[in-house]
Amino acid sequence: MEQIRVMVVDDSVVVRKIVTDVLSEDPMITVVGTAPNGRLAVAKLEQLKPDLVTMDIEMPEMNGIEAVRAIRSRAGGQAYSRVPIIMFSTLTERGASATLDALSAGANEYVTKPANVGSVAQSMESVRQQLIPKIKALTGRPQTSGPAAAPVASPVAVRPPVARTRAPREPAVLVIGSSTGGPEALTKVLPLLPASLPVPVLLVQHMPPVFTRQFAQRLDRLCPLTVVEATDGSPLVPGTVHIAPGDFHLTVGTSGANKRTALNQAPPENFCRPAVDVLFRSAVAAFDGAVLGVVLTGMGSDGRIGAGQIRDAGGTVVAQDQATSVVWGMPGAVAQAGFADEVLPLDRIAEAIVRLLPTPRPAASFAAARAAAPMGGRR
């Protein structure tokens, strides 16, 4: 198997060396070149022919966001206009905002820069653990362990849904899980859902603290629905989306007939906190299986076990298809296990959600929502 060709873009000589040294240790990866700013990175694309680019955000002459836009807008769909790009970010409000801007501009994923870790060795280990699995996932190379284990590169036949052991139930809650590519996917699904959605929504997007709060605020500006970062003890009401905060599992707490959000820092599952499986399992228990689960693009297999539990309890599961997923890890694991009732392209997910929930809206109303969505949400 050919090595993965990576170009490292960062204005810091120290960071370039750390990233280059870490990547060069992996026999599947070769660093074909570096650049100190976005302008030179764009100029070097055709010459270096990388399979993937790591991109800093704050750089002189052309920053990372501008570079992503320049690469994605190359006239005529030139070679390397779709090269996977992983952003390097900081765990700050400014860093989170800039990273979300970069993802909106067309970046595929991000990693956080090591901060206050104490030594070069610790910095290298932080980069190693975050970056290498994502490089392999985005380039479709196999993994044997870790959060990006066994991504699927070539087209795979979808397994028919396994036989149900319990009659389907009308959903009383919508739960969504996503990871790599999820921020962009969610901005194409949630704005098409009506404010009159008849059930509450709980969502796990694999993101660190600070990022989830800013992401919720951005989605809230785009959507007819109300979108918030989940807090402990909030009542679950129709038309509100609760996004799991970074580093906290999101579950459903029950007090009599009342359902509320509940947060905890129990151990990670599937290398993740928040974890999709934790949310799905909790929703099944709280709503006695009356659950609609949606699994969108993401690396790894988080959500597979929970999707199986949803179907076993009488719920319904929808998974994003391989062709429209940035990484067909999570939805692929669900589909290949036979836990998906429907496997759909991204542009059909919102319509399926509306159709599968109680009292679906007329088709004409959904078409109107689709037409209006690019103009923004309720604000």
Side-chain angles (χ1 to χ4, degrees):
M1 182 179 292
E2 290 186 3
Q3 288 183 305
I4 304 167
R5 299 169 57 86
V6 177
M7 178 167 65
V8 176
V9 184
D10 200 294
D11 66 332
S12 167
V13 175
V14 173
V15 172
R16 290 202 303 272
K17 178 169 174 51
I18 288 174
V19 175
T20 298
D21 288 349
V22 168
L23 298 185
S24 298
E25 292 173 359
D26 192 294
M28 293 182 63
I29 299 173
T30 182
V31 176
V32 294
T34 65
N37 60 60
R39 182 180 60 79
L40 289 174
V42 173
K44 286 185 173 185
L45 272 180
E46 297 292 340
Q47 171 196 350
L48 297 177
K49 298 179 172 56
D51 298 312
L52 181 140
V53 176
T54 70
M55 184 81 70
D56 189 24
I57 292 178
E58 295 188 11
M59 296 181 291
E61 296 192 46
M62 178 185 283
N63 66 34
I65 300 169
E66 294 166 337
V68 171
R69 291 193 182 113
I71 292 169
R72 294 294 184 244
S73 64
R74 303 193 91 184
Q78 290 179 327
Y80 303 105
S81 65
R82 300 310 306 167
V83 62
I85 301 172
I86 299 177
M87 306 303 296
F88 264 87
S89 178
T90 55
L91 271 175
T92 63
E93 293 281 353
R94 181 176 176 180
S97 178
T99 301
L100 292 171
D101 286 341
L103 293 174
S104 296
N108 302 90
E109 183 56 295
Y110 63 91
V111 296
T112 54
K113 287 186 174 182
N116 301 318
V117 293
S119 73
V120 172
Q122 289 173 301
S123 296
M124 292 179 71
E125 183 59 25
S126 175
V127 171
R128 183 180 297 109
Q129 290 182 1
Q130 290 190 79
L131 186 57
I132 290 179
K134 294 183 178 184
I135 288 174
K136 292 179 178 178
L138 287 169
T139 55
R141 306 304 169 90
Q143 292 254 61
T144 57
S145 64
V152 179
S154 56
V156 174
V158 174
R159 180 181 174 185
V162 297
R164 288 183 175 274
T165 58
R166 183 174 175 180
R169 303 203 55 202
E170 183 175 79
V173 66
L174 169 62
V175 290
I176 302 173
S178 55
S179 184
T180 308
E184 182 64 14
L186 289 165
T187 62
K188 294 180 178 178
V189 172
L190 292 183
L192 294 179
L193 301 180
S196 59
L197 203 74
V199 301
V201 184
L202 296 101
L203 189 160
V204 165
Q205 162 66 43
H206 294 157
M207 273 186 167
V210 181
F211 283 65
T212 46
R213 180 172 62 254
Q214 292 220 5
F215 186 49
Q217 292 170 354
R218 289 186 179 221
L219 284 175
D220 189 57
R221 291 193 292 268
L222 291 173
C223 296
L225 298 164
T226 297
V227 184
V228 298
E229 183 184 51
T231 56
D232 197 58
S234 296
L236 296 185
V237 295
T240 297
V241 182
H242 300 267
I243 296 182
D247 204 33
F248 283 85
H249 292 307
L250 173 61
T251 63
V252 181
T254 302
S255 176
N258 298 318
K259 307 286 193 301
R260 295 182 178 274
T261 56
L263 305 178
N264 69 72
Q265 289 188 304
E269 293 191 19
N270 308 306
F271 305 93
C272 303
R273 189 171 63 202
V276 179
D277 275 339
V278 171
L279 170 61
F280 283 14
R281 179 171 67 238
S282 173
V284 167
F287 289 90
D288 192 26
V291 178
L292 172 58
V294 176
V295 182
L296 301 177
T297 175
M299 68 185 198
S301 60
D302 190 23
R304 178 181 62 83
I305 294 173
Q309 292 169 330
I310 290 174
R311 290 196 85 253
D312 285 345
T316 303
V317 176
V318 175
Q320 186 176 350
D321 71 357
Q322 184 176 1
T324 63
S325 294
V326 173
V327 178
W328 204 54
M330 287 166 48
V334 171
Q336 291 175 286
F339 296 154
D341 293 279
E342 299 183 38
V343 180
L344 300 171
L346 184 63
D347 64 2
R348 291 179 56 196
I349 297 287
E351 190 169 7
I353 290 171
V354 173
R355 168 169 48 82
L356 293 166
L357 290 177
T359 58
R361 303 170 71 206
S365 297
F366 182 82
R370 177 187 292 276
M375 300 302 294
R378 60 188 183 282
R379 280 165 297 282

